[in-house]
Amino acid sequence: MRDNDSATATVAIAVSTPGAPAAPAEATPEPAAPARSALVSRGALLAALGVAAFSLTFPATAWALEGMGPWTVVMLRSVLATALAGGALAVFRVRPPERCHWAGIAVVAGGVVLGFPLLTTLALETSTTSHAAVVVGLLPLTTAAFSAVRTGARPSRTFWIASLVGAVVVIGFAVQQSGGAPGRGDLLLFAALLVCAAGYTEGGRLARHMPGWQVIGWALVLALPVTVAGAALALSAEPLRLTVHAVSGLVWLAFGSQFLGMVAWYRGMAAIGISKASQLQLAQPLLTLVWSVLLLGEHLPPAAPAAALAVLACIAVTQRTRG
């Protein structure tokens, strides 16, 4: 974690002697193929670690809701994550971002820090974690669409076909779970998809200019006035029972999902591209289903193994296409 990861390049100034031939300008060497391959592999690994952290978000939220109200969960997780991120920014004496980056940071704050956590937490009051997981499985396609509009990215036709197939698998899985009758929870989840995709796209773009941990760190700091006031109001209005599950869930949401997972995720997106990184999230609903069974005792739907194979096949295709 370096101060804005900035480096000062030393520029050599050549002074020509009269009558002497001018020295040829040195060409900037292209990065070697093995080095680029290693960078892409590292980026894919970081993005995958972010997905693994996010896959625990819904089970952790269900645990936290056992002892806290939804508004308390959302506001406290952000306040705790800000304490960690703000402390890191202060310790490493990170300068505030340039003025041109604050609009993007505000989108990250609205989508990732506030919007997605709030909408999904409210949805989980009426939806199971497994149902919510498969609906949010549409996030990769939504993020790729936002990326194409925002950054001008143009993934290949094969990429889009594989993405759409993965989305169809997820939609079919969700419809089977809900009986074909979307409810209030589904509407909240679909809204969460939109705001989160916008936050992911802006965060991935900003991570090309500053380290990923600083992107989410400044977004958390920007949202702090709202989250502190919200936490105070929520604690005064909602019941609070500090059980082991509730505290464990809140701690993971704050430090694992809200900060550390986002650090790995944004760095991964900066390395391999927003669209390709987003497709790794096709594995997230299947991972969440596993955690739902192991941690919450939910019954795994019979169609889950087939859906898992289909989704993993789509991931393999999207990771091998160039956009």
Side-chain angles (χ1 to χ4, degrees):
M1 298 182 183
R2 295 163 294 182
D3 186 3
N4 288 333
D5 273 18
S6 61
T8 305
T10 304
V11 179
I13 303 176
V15 180
S16 60
T17 304
E26 293 186 4
T28 303
E30 292 291 330
R36 176 171 177 77
S37 177
L39 178 64
V40 171
S41 298
R42 183 167 177 265
L45 176 61
L46 286 169
L49 289 174
V51 170
F54 300 154
S55 70
L56 280 162
T57 298
F58 287 171
T61 301
W63 273 10
L65 287 172
E66 292 180 11
M68 309 174 195
W71 290 88
T72 301
V73 172
V74 173
M75 297 303 166
L76 281 184
R77 67 179 275 185
S78 295
V79 170
L80 292 175
T82 306
L84 176 62
L89 291 170
V91 167
F92 292 98
R93 299 179 181 179
V94 179
R95 293 189 299 271
E98 298 177 12
R99 182 179 299 179
C100 61
H101 295 323
W102 279 108
I105 291 173
V107 174
V108 175
V112 175
V113 175
L114 296 172
F116 185 79
L118 179 59
L119 292 168
T120 54
T121 300
L122 292 173
L124 285 173
E125 288 191 298
T126 56
S127 298
T128 64
T129 59
S130 57
H131 179 79
V134 291
V135 174
V136 174
L138 293 175
L139 184 57
L141 185 59
T142 312
T143 303
F146 266 86
S147 173
V149 173
R150 180 65 178 87
T151 67
R154 292 294 180 267
S156 67
R157 181 179 299 179
T158 302
F159 179 95
W160 284 113
I161 291 173
S163 301
L164 287 170
V165 171
V168 168
V169 171
V170 170
I171 291 172
F173 197 70
V175 168
Q176 182 197 39
Q177 291 248 296
S178 64
R184 174 178 174 270
D186 290 313
L187 295 177
L188 290 169
L189 291 170
F190 286 131
L193 288 175
L194 297 178
V195 298
C196 189
Y200 279 176
T201 300
E202 284 301 310
R205 185 184 64 82
L206 288 169
R208 297 174 181 173
H209 304 282
M210 66 183 79
W213 74 275
Q214 293 181 21
V215 174
I216 187 62
W218 287 114
L220 286 163
V221 170
L222 184 63
L224 186 61
V226 175
T227 55
V228 167
L233 290 172
L235 286 170
S236 66
E238 295 179 335
L240 179 67
R241 290 190 306 112
L242 297 180
T243 64
V244 173
H245 273 186
V247 173
S248 300
L250 181 64
V251 168
W252 177 259
L253 290 172
F255 302 134
S257 298
Q258 191 77 73
F259 184 66
L260 298 177
M262 294 303 303
V263 170
W265 177 240
Y266 281 143
R267 292 196 67 176
M269 280 200 294
I272 66 176
I274 297 171
S275 295
K276 281 193 174 182
S278 70
Q279 298 313 300
L280 287 171
Q281 282 199 303
L282 285 170
Q284 185 174 324
L286 286 307
L287 289 173
T288 299
L289 287 175
V290 173
W291 296 128
S292 298
V293 172
L294 296 178
L295 301 178
L296 304 176
E298 294 186 4
H299 296 291
L300 189 66
L309 291 175
V311 168
L312 290 175
C314 292
I315 294 173
V317 173
T318 58
Q319 289 301 293
R320 283 168 173 74
T321 59
R322 293 181 181 273

